[in-house]
Amino acid sequence: MAKTAHSDAKTWAEHPTRSILSLVKQVQYKAYVRLESVFQPLGVTAVQFRILTTLSSRPGLSSAELARLYDVKPQTMIKQIALLEAKGLIGRRTSPTNRRLLELTLTEEGQACLKLCRTGAQAMERTLLEPLDETEQAHLRAMLVTLLQSMSGPVVAEGDDPDIEEFSRVGVQRV
């Protein structure tokens, strides 16, 4: 009788020397690579998707504020902002309260692109979780939330923007 991928994975995962952190990192990396392939036809990278997502819920941030939020050098963020602006996905405007500050906002094209990116990301997530039934998915989600809470990190409530909370702690993710 042929083994299913699910039973192979279960046997492999039960091996006591398998590092959970290593497994999480491997899944994260493979998901990231797949996400990049989803965004590639749209001309956007996963990093740019995160920036667009942040600006959709927090319009008016400056590139310096984004750099601090993502814990990257300002020059790194400026490069990403320039790419997004060249694609017509974001615009800059002078702050009404500080003429030296340029605020970033999504353009209509940026909003449309973000909508397509989110649709693709959700489809990719469904595919990624396909080997798990609904109960297993709910259990995995609950366990991950528990781990986040135990590490005193911010946990995102349903409906909140996870990309903003994730970057509110220094050193969590680099662009």
Side-chain angles (χ1 to χ4, degrees):
M1 176 171 19
K3 288 184 178 180
T4 66
H6 187 67
S7 65
D8 284 345
K10 206 170 199 176
T11 303
W12 189 63
E14 289 170 351
H15 196 276
T17 61
R18 294 298 302 176
S19 164
I20 291 173
L21 291 178
S22 175
L23 290 169
V24 167
K25 183 62 180 174
Q26 288 175 49
V27 169
Q28 181 272 333
Y29 175 75
K30 289 183 180 199
Y32 180 84
V33 169
R34 288 183 184 182
L35 199 55
E36 285 285 345
S37 69
V38 167
F39 296 150
Q40 192 272 332
L42 301 171
V44 175
T45 66
V47 167
Q48 293 168 351
F49 168 68
R50 298 185 89 104
I51 293 168
L52 293 173
T53 299
T54 300
L55 289 175
S56 74
S57 59
R58 294 181 65 182
L61 290 176
S62 69
S63 61
E65 290 169 319
L66 276 172
R68 284 190 295 275
L69 188 63
Y70 284 77
D71 189 33
V72 297
K73 293 179 181 178
Q75 297 86 341
T76 302
M77 186 56 69
I78 287 170
K79 288 178 186 176
Q80 292 298 322
I81 296 304
L83 290 169
L84 290 167
E85 188 175 34
K87 294 174 185 179
L89 302 179
I90 63 170
R92 302 183 209 208
R93 66 170 188 244
T94 303
S95 169
T97 58
N98 181 351
R99 293 185 325 186
R100 296 183 308 169
L101 184 66
L102 292 177
E103 298 177 337
L104 303 169
T105 58
L106 291 181
T107 62
E108 285 186 30
E109 188 176 341
Q111 291 171 358
C113 180
L114 179 57
K115 185 176 181 180
L116 291 172
C117 287
R118 284 180 171 157
T119 300
Q122 290 165 350
M124 193 280 299
E125 182 176 308
R126 282 190 301 277
T127 300
L128 175 75
L129 295 173
E130 210 169 69
L132 305 177
D133 65 31
E134 287 183 30
T135 302
E136 290 170 322
Q137 288 180 34
H139 192 64
L140 174 62
R141 186 171 285 108
M143 288 188 297
L144 291 172
V145 168
T146 298
L147 289 174
L148 284 173
Q149 288 172 333
S150 74
M151 296 179 350
S152 301
V155 176
V156 180
E158 190 68 33
D160 284 353
D161 183 355
D163 295 315
I164 292 172
E165 290 297 325
E166 181 178 347
F167 296 105
S168 65
R169 295 177 290 131
V170 174
V172 172
Q173 176 77 33
R174 300 220 180 258
V175 173

